Amino acid sequence: MNSVRERILREVVARLSSAIAPTPVLRMPAVPVTREASPALLLFADGDSITAHANHLVDRLLILRFAVVARGADAFDVADLALVAAHAALLADPNLGGLAIAVREIDCEWEFDDADAGATALPARYEIRYRTHATDLTQTG
């Protein structure tokens, strides 16, 4: 069985993919998104830290960053609409089907690159609080 962290990431990808279809969700892409492949939502796991220990349970904090990449005259609108749909899908069930304790939005920022045909990246960060057993990362606590 996969770790709780991996199951959370897969659940997030599934929710986002459903919410913003047909825009693709790319998890941890290793290459830049081409002009032809945009718009796209990029999903990055920025970190996973331990926040508390209690008996045999460990509280954890997973930081996810989304970046909607769009190009063209309506890039800000396209990116914003995708991020609005992704946000709603992620927060519709903040327990992610029993995998998480809570989901919380951290921040959002805007980036624009005029040199790349008006490329826009709209990043937003979220924290997902979850709990595992101290000796078994596949078991929720």
Side-chain angles (χ1 to χ4, degrees):
M1 176 181 288
N2 288 319
S3 69
V4 176
R5 175 181 45 240
E6 178 60 25
R7 294 191 335 248
I8 287 171
L9 287 166
R10 289 180 183 189
E11 180 66 22
V12 168
V13 168
R15 288 171 188 246
L16 298 178
S17 295
S18 175
I20 66 168
T23 300
V25 175
L26 307 173
R27 180 177 166 189
M28 305 288 287
V31 296
V33 176
T34 64
R35 182 170 283 114
E36 297 76 28
S38 66
L41 187 145
L42 315 180
L43 171 64
F44 300 94
D46 279 352
D48 189 21
S49 59
I50 295 173
T51 60
H53 290 272
N55 298 324
H56 66 285
L57 300 177
V58 178
D59 288 354
R60 299 175 183 274
L61 183 64
L62 176 63
I63 304 296
L64 298 182
R65 179 172 38 97
F66 306 161
V68 180
V69 177
R71 291 178 174 86
D74 62 346
F76 283 111
D77 289 336
V78 169
D80 186 60
L81 290 172
L83 195 57
V84 166
H87 177 87
L90 186 62
L91 295 176
D93 173 17
N95 292 323
L96 298 175
L99 293 170
I101 297 168
V103 176
R104 187 174 72 94
E105 182 182 19
I106 300 172
D107 58 21
C108 182
E109 49 189 68
W110 288 264
E111 298 173 8
F112 181 75
D113 185 357
D114 197 35
D116 186 12
T120 298
L122 185 56
R125 292 185 319 140
Y126 293 82
E127 66 178 28
I128 300 177
R129 295 184 178 276
Y130 69 104
R131 184 175 291 144
T132 65
H133 285 255
T135 60
D136 188 352
L137 295 176
T138 68
Q139 298 300 312
T140 59

